[in-house]
Amino acid sequence: MKHGATPDQVDGVVSAIESMGYRARPMPGAQRTTVGLVGNDGRVEEGHLIGLDGVLRVIHVSQPYKQVSREWCSEGTVVDLPNGVQIGGEDVVIMAGPCAVESREQILETACRVAAAGATVLRGGAFKPRTSPYSFQGMGQEGLQLLAEARDETGLAIVTEALDPEGAVLVAKYADIIQIGARNMQNYSLLRAVGRAGKPVLLKRGMAATLKELLLAAEYIVAEGESRVILCERGVRNFDNHARNLFDLTAVVTVKEVSHLPIIADPSHGTGARSKVGPMARASVAAGADGLLLEVHPDPSTAVSDGQQSLNLDQFDKLMGELDMIAGAIGRRIARTAIAPQT
Ligand code: PEP
Ligand code: MN
């Protein structure tokens, strides 16, 4: 719409789109309102729309992922968390914690230390997608309760994984961000369920997924009505064996070009080895990632999962100091919580 288009003019465009048999999504922006059109399967005849009062121009979205494309919305999406932290803005958001919640002591100690070092989101799986059915599957709801307790103690927001549609409803009751893991990136019934769960979603790239497939998976969530989607590069299958995965930092840059969604990086799963996590975390911030997801454990040698790629608390402390400097060098800073923790 033209700058200063009136609400009546926007309504006129919405009615015109609906009378053509499509759905309209008005999106007020800082400069002007955009009205999105969904429900078409092919090019839309623009003649009915171009001459309406207040219309500036009609843009045809060329990508199959539509609502998550930059063509749909040129301004970047910013996801607000309850602790005042924003993902997708100027700040780089650090999410840290163990692969899995293992005990009250383990998660509270980790939460206190990563918060003191400057993390603003606590990670930790309560439902774990394990390659073997005989491996530890997570603490379940008790793990979610421990994460909520850690949030109350520290002011950290919580990100934790949901494995199935029923689990998504339960996770949404406790978490501030619902994580969809690599193994479930193309689980379309789960994507639809999290799109209706009412919480922001962290969507990890599948182990062999193209960026187009990642963005189409995000489109499933947005199409259900949840626009707060954060993408995550966590490495893809590799033909070499020098690292667990091939950590694809060009994904961060490319996603920023073609999508308005924030993208963070997970160098823990991306590399699979503690010695490689720090360097690739620094590189991710330098490349423009909106945040990092890092596995941190008080005693990695005893971790029930992913100990080999977990930093200990001192290593995390040191890394945070380095990340501060790298963020500063590119005109960003590491996010801080705006809300003091409850005591
Ligand atoms: C995790 O974050 O612990 C995890 C299981 O990651 P991914 O889905 O990327 O393998
Ligand atoms: Mn893990």
Side-chain angles (χ1 to χ4, degrees), residues 73-194:
C73 180
S74 59
E75 283 170 43
T77 288
V78 176
V79 176
D80 284 296
L81 299 181
N83 61 354
V85 169
Q86 295 189 317
I87 306 171
E90 298 273 291
D91 293 357
V92 178
V93 178
I94 308 300
M95 310 182 183
C99 180
V101 182
E102 298 169 8
S103 69
R104 186 162 183 276
E105 297 67 38
Q106 175 242 21
I107 196 67
L108 290 182
E109 182 184 0
T110 311
C112 290
R113 284 287 303 272
V114 299
T120 44
V121 181
L122 177 66
R123 64 148 291 146
F127 297 95
K128 293 303 301 175
R130 301 306 299 279
T131 302
S132 163
Y134 308 119
S135 301
F136 175 66
Q137 304 286 312
M139 290 183 76
Q141 188 163 4
E142 191 187 346
L144 296 176
Q145 283 159 351
L146 293 174
L147 287 167
E149 189 179 337
R151 171 177 48 211
D152 291 346
E153 287 236 343
T154 59
L156 293 167
I158 301 297
V159 59
T160 192
E161 181 163 356
L163 295 182
D164 46 51
E166 308 80 63
V169 175
L170 182 64
V171 167
K173 290 195 182 125
Y174 293 90
D176 301 296
I177 306 171
I178 308 173
Q179 178 172 325
I180 299 300
R183 291 159 189 77
N184 271 320
M185 189 204 83
Q186 286 178 311
N187 180 340
Y188 298 119
S189 54
L190 178 59
L191 297 177
R192 286 206 161 99
V194 290

Side-chain angles (χ1 to χ4, degrees), residues 286-303:
D290 294 306
L292 296 176
L293 188 67
L294 291 166
E295 288 187 332
V296 180
H297 194 285
D299 182 7
S301 65
T302 63

Side-chain angles (χ1 to χ4, degrees), residues 47-319:
H48 305 296
L49 301 169
I50 198 80
L52 295 176
D53 280 350
V55 171
L56 175 66
R57 61 174 173 264
V58 174
I59 300 169
H60 293 269
V61 176
S62 57
Q63 304 294 349
Y65 46 87
K66 187 169 178 176
Q67 297 190 58
V68 306
S69 73
R70 274 265 177 218
E71 292 166 308
W72 181 266
C73 180
S74 59
E75 283 170 43
T77 288
V78 176
V79 176
D80 284 296
L81 299 181
N83 61 354
V85 169
Q86 295 189 317
I87 306 171
E90 298 273 291
D91 293 357
V92 178
V93 178
I94 308 300
M95 310 182 183
C99 180
V101 182
E102 298 169 8
S103 69
R104 186 162 183 276
E105 297 67 38
Q106 175 242 21
I107 196 67
L108 290 182
E109 182 184 0
T110 311
C112 290
R113 284 287 303 272
V114 299
T120 44
V121 181
L122 177 66
R123 64 148 291 146
F127 297 95
K128 293 303 301 175
R130 301 306 299 279
T131 302
S132 163
Y134 308 119
S135 301
F136 175 66
Q137 304 286 312
M139 290 183 76
Q141 188 163 4
E142 191 187 346
L144 296 176
Q145 283 159 351
L146 293 174
L147 287 167
E149 189 179 337
R151 171 177 48 211
D152 291 346
E153 287 236 343
T154 59
L156 293 167
I158 301 297
V159 59
T160 192
E161 181 163 356
L163 295 182
D164 46 51
E166 308 80 63
V169 175
L170 182 64
V171 167
K173 290 195 182 125
Y174 293 90
D176 301 296
I177 306 171
I178 308 173
Q179 178 172 325
I180 299 300
R183 291 159 189 77
N184 271 320
M185 189 204 83
Q186 286 178 311
N187 180 340
Y188 298 119
S189 54
L190 178 59
L191 297 177
R192 286 206 161 99
V194 290
R196 294 189 299 264
K199 288 285 167 78
V201 179
L202 177 65
L203 177 65
K204 299 188 87 174
R205 182 180 184 182
M207 305 211 183
T210 64
L211 294 184
K212 185 171 158 188
E213 287 162 343
L214 172 65
L215 291 164
L216 282 166
E219 188 83 9
Y220 264 88
I221 300 168
V222 175
E224 288 299 318
E226 181 53 71
S227 57
R228 297 168 298 174
V229 179
I230 304 140
L231 304 171
C232 180
E233 165 59 36
R234 48 78 74 206
V236 288
R237 277 281 159 90
N238 191 357
F239 52 76
D240 205 343
N241 60 5
H242 65 284
R244 181 177 178 180
N245 289 302
L246 182 64
F247 188 49
D248 178 12
L249 276 182
T250 33
V252 171
V253 183
T254 308
V255 162
K256 289 245 156 254
E257 286 168 1
V258 300
S259 172
H260 55 82
L261 294 179
I263 178 159
I264 70 164
D266 173 354
S268 305
H269 294 86
T271 65
R274 187 174 312 121
S275 63
K276 298 182 173 76
V277 171
M280 295 317 288
R282 299 194 296 260
S284 304
V285 172
D290 294 306
L292 296 176
L293 188 67
L294 291 166
E295 288 187 332
V296 180
H297 194 285
D299 182 7
S301 65
T302 63
V304 296
S305 57
D306 286 348
Q308 82 292 345
Q309 65 193 33
S310 300
L311 300 178
N312 68 31
L313 297 166
D314 291 338
Q315 289 165 333
F316 178 70
D317 253 347
K318 178 167 175 286
L319 177 61

Side-chain angles (χ1 to χ4, degrees), residues 28-52:
Q31 294 301 318
R32 53 174 55 93
T33 294
T34 302
V35 184
L37 179 156
V38 286
N40 61 308
D41 187 13
R43 196 176 167 89
V44 170
E45 177 48 60
E46 66 184 47
H48 305 296
L49 301 169
I50 198 80
L52 295 176

